[in-house]
Amino acid sequence: MAPEKVHLTGEKATLLATLYGRALDARSPDPILGDDLAADAVERIDHDFTKTGMNAGLAVSVAIRGRFIDRWAAEFLATHPEATVLHLGCGLDTRVHRLDPPPTVRWYDVDYPDVIELRRRLFPERPGYRLIGSSVTELKWLEQVPDRAPVLVVAEGLLYYLDPGEGRALIRAIVDRFPGGQFVFDAVSPLGLKTQKLNRPVRKADAHLVWGIDGPGELLAIHPRLRCLSAVSAFDIEGFDRLPTPHRVAARIAGLLPGMKRAAVFYRLGF
């Protein structure tokens, strides 16, 4: 099988870094996610992944972030076995395979058409699983999704790349369309935007974070049906003890500073 050639730029290129991070974790002696599909995909892509800015230390951060969101998603699916899942800006994430939901769950991976076509070539099909090639902010794609079941919206590593107005419109459209559900995602604050140059994969991809969310109140103002179920600092999630010492020390210092502690937050919103 010939290697897959990829030509991605800007925020699209960051998906190669996170894929490589999950692959590095899978190859480690004591993996956090154990994402063997990611490791296999890296072997099948013709790309110098060392140029993504990802390394073993950052790979731990990628893995613990993915595991945290996986757990929130799994909790929702455990109580809603016939839910619809919208995995927005899915990139090359293998979350549907890691969580392995029953075929009663309708799972939609949504991303740009070229990313979706690459997914088709790299990852297997499965019951109840569908791919949609579209920018998530071009809202016509929502018409392809039945609107009767509760919805779980997973948006890891996405919202901060969206234009704030378009991001709010996306959230409003989903809340208006479905009878109820949850949003699960990570976000950065305005201070987090100012520190983005410290993020090597973002810098290497020449990507730009543009939407800084200043706490739950800003999110709840998007739609009257929204409520905040959880808001957890990235410095408080399980797994930071697995970071290499320099990364762990830097994270602990940053976590002691109130502004930095809120620079990256995981949100779970209900409606």
Side-chain angles (χ1 to χ4, degrees):
M1 186 179 297
E4 296 288 344
K5 295 185 180 295
V6 296
H7 303 283
L8 302 173
T9 59
E11 70 270 17
K12 289 185 191 178
T14 62
L15 66 83
L16 296 173
T18 52
L19 174 69
Y20 188 44
R22 292 191 299 273
L24 290 175
D25 169 68
R27 295 167 181 162
S28 69
D30 186 19
I32 295 168
L33 276 180
D35 193 340
D36 293 329
L37 271 179
D40 177 67
V42 164
E43 295 299 324
R44 294 171 56 193
I45 293 174
D46 182 9
H47 185 76
D48 184 356
F49 284 91
T50 63
K51 294 182 178 180
T52 62
M54 183 59 58
N55 56 35
L58 293 174
V60 174
S61 297
V62 168
I64 62 177
R65 179 181 80 172
R67 182 178 66 180
F68 188 82
I69 291 182
D70 279 1
R71 287 176 175 174
W72 271 356
E75 287 176 13
F76 183 88
L77 294 178
T79 56
H80 300 85
E82 296 183 352
T84 294
V85 178
L86 304 180
H87 190 197
L88 306 184
C90 59
L92 296 180
D93 197 323
T94 63
R95 177 163 280 117
V96 66
H97 301 284
R98 293 198 303 270
L99 294 183
D100 191 25
T104 53
V105 169
R106 293 180 175 179
W107 187 297
Y108 296 83
D109 273 354
V110 187
D111 212 317
Y112 291 108
D114 53 345
V115 175
I116 291 299
E117 287 307 310
L118 182 57
R119 285 191 68 92
R120 292 186 195 279
R121 299 194 296 270
L122 289 172
F123 301 129
E125 297 181 358
R126 51 177 293 127
Y129 176 54
R130 184 175 172 189
L131 298 161
I132 298 178
S134 171
S135 165
V136 298
T137 58
E138 294 177 3
L139 300 179
K140 196 171 180 59
W141 66 265
L142 270 169
E143 297 174 5
Q144 302 180 48
V145 182
D147 59 3
R148 295 179 297 277
V151 66
L152 172 67
V153 183
V154 181
E156 179 183 354
L158 172 68
L159 263 64
Y160 29 75
Y161 291 114
L162 301 183
D163 170 84
E166 292 182 335
R168 294 184 187 101
L170 171 64
I171 293 172
R172 280 194 296 270
I174 292 172
V175 174
D176 284 338
R177 183 169 179 82
F178 292 93
Q182 289 183 10
F183 290 85
V184 174
F185 58 93
D186 58 323
V188 299
S189 70
L191 177 59
L193 290 183
K194 293 178 181 178
T195 62
Q196 64 181 283
K197 290 299 183 184
L198 300 177
N199 187 318
R200 289 179 58 203
V202 170
R203 190 172 68 248
K204 291 280 188 179
D206 195 26
H208 301 282
L209 281 58
V210 296
W211 188 10
I213 294 171
D214 194 17
E218 180 177 336
L219 292 164
L220 300 186
I222 294 173
H223 198 290
R225 291 178 64 197
L226 287 172
R227 62 190 188 278
C228 184
L229 305 177
S230 307
V232 181
S233 169
F235 298 104
D236 289 337
I237 68 174
E238 179 186 352
F240 269 92
D241 58 318
R242 300 282 299 273
L243 290 168
T245 300
H247 295 77
R248 188 168 62 250
V249 170
R252 284 180 176 173
I253 293 172
L256 294 173
L257 305 173
M260 283 303 298
K261 189 176 178 67
R262 295 189 295 271
V265 178
F266 291 85
Y267 291 100
R268 178 161 51 175
L269 306 181
F271 67 97

